[in-house]
Amino acid sequence: MKIIVAKESGFCYGVSRAYRMAKEAILKTGGDAYSYGPLIHNQLVVDSLKTEGLKPVEDINDAPDGAYLIIRSHGAPPEIYEKARERNMKIEDATCTFVRKAQVRAIELVEQGYHLVIVGKQGHPEVEGILRHAGSGEVVYSTEQLNGVRSKKIGVVCQTTMPVEVLQKITSNLLLRSSEIRVYNTICNATINRQKSAMELAHKVDAMIIVGGKNSSNTRRLYELCHSRNENSFHIEDKSELDSLDLGKFDTVGVSSGASTPNWVLEEIVRDIEQRYG
Amino acid sequence: MKIIVAKESGFCYGVSRAYRMAKEAILKTGGDAYSYGPLIHNQLVVDSLKTEGLKPVEDINDAPDGAYLIIRSHGAPPEIYEKARERNMKIEDATCTFVRKAQVRAIELVEQGYHLVIVGKQGHPEVEGILRHAGSGEVVYSTEQLNGVRSKKIGVVCQTTMPVEVLQKITSNLLLRSSEIRVYNTICNATINRQKSAMELAHKVDAMIIVGGKNSSNTRRLYELCHSRNENSFHIEDKSELDSLDLGKFDTVGVSSGASTPNWVLEEIVRDIEQRYG
């Protein structure tokens, strides 16, 4: 069996940076730091950081006064920063720079009187953060959700890990609903390049494995896109899941990973497939 | 045979206004007025106004100093206004208010550092006017023409008579070429409503007649849209063209007209069809 790893895989820039900041925080505090929410959407990494002393809290009240607090890579609503400041916490902001850009654009659009549309998944921490920073707006993922949206000026930003096709569909529909549409394409390049190289690979191989967190938006999207090109596509989080896949019948297998998947997880899976099927 | 006239037909607001201004100019000057280019894209109307004393000139040097000059409904480049002022002409601006809005938006976009894309037909007087007012930019009608367009900020305006689908396709493609797209949907409502009602009618009837100037962009587009719904669609400019159409084989015939087609032309054609086929 031939195994081909997609060119663009492993940690993206924003995840790398957050991981480095977490390691530094652990070092500085002697293993007594906190993260607002899971640092990145990869359980293996979050668990491993936890054993070293980075405790994820969903509620900021669960961290003590003066705590060393890392803001997760997906960002956080403004009130979290305020509360942390009030309680004398040391804030380290690991918000991905692409996410921060989307937040800033959303704030500017609302300030300039645009009705804000955030193209993304409702409830995703990145999207909720953007919405709370902007102060008003709505989150849509499909054109059906646009029903009723009508405004003289509509401003659009996009969850950084959205497929560009979703942004295109929604923008097209918005052109029927307003005389001015201002769109910031805040999809990060790393996501676009990763999706492109994975889809090209999925098209060439007999089966495709996407490695990454089941709660990771960009990984799930990567899987969906590969599945649309190759129906023998599988999304796994760790090597134990290989047991249930009968990869032996395939001659070539492609592998790619989400932006929050560390290289060692990917490499471990490649090694495991090689051992199982030679 | 049943003949159904589309709800939205006859002169649009901008054409009505230009026609009224032309009539007033003829009255005021005792039949000695000029128009920069043909006032509207309908030869019958232009010819009829000519006999009353409105002379269309393609070159402003063909009008005498101090002449009473009407700017055509499609607008004119800024240098025409300058030249006319220098030569003490009395300018009456019949530029359609929707066209003027597109010109103003284009000027603003260029002033604010956007790379201007005008969605429209190269060489059309409205489009050329917008481009010359803005000072820089490019005219595109299909995504193929976008090759090479890449800029941090892209601003878009649209020829007022474009089908919205063309604007949607080009905007979708531009999202891949820039991180910010600001689109003014300058398509006039009259055009959209006219296209909508004509297409609905074309879908219901056995044959569809579109009445209007062969050089009228909005009429040609109306014909193309109806033809995509009903292949028995015909574009005619005056009733003599009915001779070559064998409408006798159809039970229901729909009729609509371009924005620059006067009601009397449409009514004449409806009467003629009734007389021919009862």
Side-chain angles (χ1 to χ4, degrees):
Chain A
M1 178 192 287
K2 197 177 167 192
I3 302 171
I4 307 169
V5 177
K7 268 181 214 153
E8 315 275 341
S9 53
F11 278 176
C12 67
Y13 170 78
V15 169
S16 265
R17 179 168 162 270
Y19 187 73
R20 206 173 52 239
M21 287 168 85
K23 286 291 211 180
E24 280 168 16
I26 291 164
L27 212 65
K28 277 185 195 163
T29 59
D32 186 24
Y34 293 81
S35 72
Y36 175 68
L39 184 76
I40 62 174
H41 269 153
N42 186 288
Q43 203 54 47
L44 293 171
V45 174
V46 171
D47 287 346
S48 138
L49 289 171
K50 210 170 175 178
T51 61
E52 297 180 49
L54 182 75
K55 296 167 274 271
V57 291
E58 288 295 343
D59 185 339
I60 191 160
N61 294 321
D62 293 341
D65 287 357
Y68 201 106
L69 184 78
I70 299 191
I71 302 295
R72 64 194 297 173
S73 56
H74 313 93
E79 58 267 30
I80 297 301
Y81 293 82
E82 280 162 38
K83 278 189 194 165
R85 257 180 238 116
E86 280 167 17
R87 294 182 48 219
N88 293 317
M89 293 185 184
K90 163 99 186 85
I91 305 170
E92 283 285 345
D93 197 344
T95 304
C96 164
T97 47
F98 290 102
V99 174
R100 183 61 195 147
K101 206 182 268 179
Q103 290 173 352
V104 171
R105 293 309 190 190
I107 293 166
E108 287 172 356
L109 286 170
V110 171
E111 276 174 0
Q112 290 169 38
Y114 289 87
H115 177 86
L116 179 67
V117 170
I118 303 168
V119 178
K121 287 278 191 181
Q122 226 150 5
H124 189 282
E126 177 190 326
V127 170
E128 292 302 310
I130 295 171
L131 182 60
R132 301 278 273 282
H133 277 278
S136 74
E138 48 204 302
V139 178
V140 296
Y141 183 70
S142 70
T143 51
E144 288 74 32
Q145 292 174 304
L146 286 173
N147 272 340
V149 175
R150 212 166 272 277
S151 178
K152 267 187 99 162
K153 294 166 70 173
I154 294 178
V156 181
V157 298
C158 193
Q159 187 177 342
T160 56
T161 50
M162 277 288 110
V164 71
E165 290 77 11
V166 177
L167 177 63
Q168 286 174 316
K169 262 189 210 156
I170 291 189
T171 301
S172 280
N173 191 292
L174 287 174
L175 283 171
L176 309 172
R177 297 170 182 274
S178 177
S179 56
E180 184 190 344
I181 312 282
R182 191 164 176 182
V183 187
Y184 287 104
N185 179 351
T186 49
I187 300 171
C188 88
N189 286 342
T191 301
I192 294 172
N193 293 341
R194 187 181 299 260
Q195 287 171 351
K196 227 162 126 183
S197 78
M199 282 193 291
E200 277 168 16
L201 183 55
H203 193 69
K204 275 191 245 166
V205 294
D206 299 321
M208 187 77 193
I209 308 283
I210 304 298
V211 185
K214 293 277 163 77
N215 60 347
S216 156
S217 180
N218 84 81
T219 310
R220 278 208 310 273
R221 213 68 67 237
L222 198 62
Y223 161 71
E224 284 163 12
L225 290 170
C226 287
H227 194 264
S228 72
R229 290 290 189 290
N230 185 332
E231 61 175 18
N232 295 316
S233 293
F234 309 99
H235 176 186
I236 65 174
E237 194 159 349
D238 69 59
K239 64 177 183 176
S240 69
E241 289 172 81
L242 288 172
D243 295 346
S244 62
L245 303 181
D246 179 19
L247 296 181
K249 57 186 171 187
F250 303 116
D251 289 332
T252 52
V253 171
V255 185
S256 183
S257 67
S260 44
T261 309
N263 266 330
W264 60 264
V265 175
L266 181 86
E267 285 160 11
E268 203 175 52
I269 282 168
V270 170
R271 256 197 316 275
D272 200 307
I273 298 174
E274 279 171 347
Q275 278 163 10
R276 282 170 194 250
Y277 307 104
Chain B
M1 178 192 288
K2 196 175 167 194
I3 301 171
I4 308 169
V5 177
K7 268 182 215 154
E8 316 274 342
S9 51
F11 277 177
C12 68
Y13 170 77
V15 170
S16 265
R17 180 169 162 269
Y19 187 72
R20 206 172 55 239
M21 287 169 85
K23 285 290 210 180
E24 280 169 16
I26 290 164
L27 212 65
K28 277 186 197 164
T29 58
D32 186 24
Y34 294 80
S35 72
Y36 175 68
L39 185 75
I40 61 173
H41 269 152
N42 186 288
Q43 203 52 47
L44 293 171
V45 175
V46 170
D47 286 346
S48 138
L49 288 172
K50 209 169 174 178
T51 61
E52 297 180 50
L54 182 76
K55 296 166 276 273
V57 291
E58 288 295 341
D59 185 339
I60 191 157
N61 293 321
D62 294 340
D65 286 356
Y68 201 107
L69 183 78
I70 300 191
I71 302 295
R72 64 195 298 173
S73 56
H74 312 93
E79 57 268 28
I80 297 300
Y81 293 81
E82 281 163 36
K83 278 189 194 165
R85 259 181 236 116
E86 280 168 17
R87 294 182 47 218
N88 293 317
M89 294 186 184
K90 163 97 186 86
I91 305 170
E92 284 285 347
D93 197 344
T95 305
C96 164
T97 46
F98 290 102
V99 174
R100 183 62 196 144
K101 206 181 267 177
Q103 291 173 352
V104 170
R105 292 309 191 190
I107 293 166
E108 287 171 358
L109 286 170
V110 171
E111 276 174 1
Q112 288 169 40
Y114 288 87
H115 178 85
L116 180 66
V117 170
I118 303 168
V119 178
K121 286 278 190 180
Q122 225 150 5
H124 189 283
E126 177 189 325
V127 170
E128 292 300 310
I130 295 171
L131 183 59
R132 301 278 273 280
H133 276 280
S136 74
E138 49 204 303
V139 179
V140 295
Y141 183 70
S142 71
T143 50
E144 287 74 33
Q145 293 174 302
L146 286 173
N147 273 341
V149 175
R150 211 166 272 276
S151 178
K152 266 188 99 160
K153 294 166 68 173
I154 295 178
V156 182
V157 299
C158 193
Q159 188 177 344
T160 56
T161 51
M162 277 287 110
V164 71
E165 290 77 11
V166 176
L167 178 63
Q168 287 174 316
K169 261 187 212 158
I170 291 189
T171 302
S172 280
N173 190 291
L174 286 175
L175 284 170
L176 308 173
R177 296 169 183 275
S178 177
S179 56
E180 183 190 345
I181 312 282
R182 191 165 177 181
V183 188
Y184 287 105
N185 180 350
T186 49
I187 300 172
C188 89
N189 285 341
T191 301
I192 294 171
N193 293 340
R194 187 180 297 260
Q195 288 172 350
K196 227 162 127 183
S197 77
M199 282 193 289
E200 276 167 18
L201 184 55
H203 193 68
K204 275 192 246 165
V205 295
D206 300 321
M208 188 77 192
I209 308 281
I210 304 300
V211 186
K214 294 278 163 76
N215 60 346
S216 155
S217 178
N218 83 81
T219 311
R220 278 208 310 272
R221 215 67 67 238
L222 199 60
Y223 160 72
E224 285 164 10
L225 290 169
C226 287
H227 194 263
S228 72
R229 290 291 191 285
N230 184 332
E231 61 175 19
N232 296 316
S233 294
F234 309 99
H235 177 186
I236 65 174
E237 192 157 352
D238 69 60
K239 63 177 182 175
S240 70
E241 289 172 80
L242 288 172
D243 295 345
S244 62
L245 302 182
D246 179 20
L247 297 180
K249 58 187 171 187
F250 303 115
D251 289 334
T252 52
V253 171
V255 185
S256 184
S257 66
S260 45
T261 310
N263 265 330
W264 60 263
V265 174
L266 181 85
E267 284 160 11
E268 205 176 51
I269 281 169
V270 170
R271 259 199 313 278
D272 199 306
I273 299 174
E274 278 170 348
Q275 279 165 10
R276 282 171 194 249
Y277 307 103

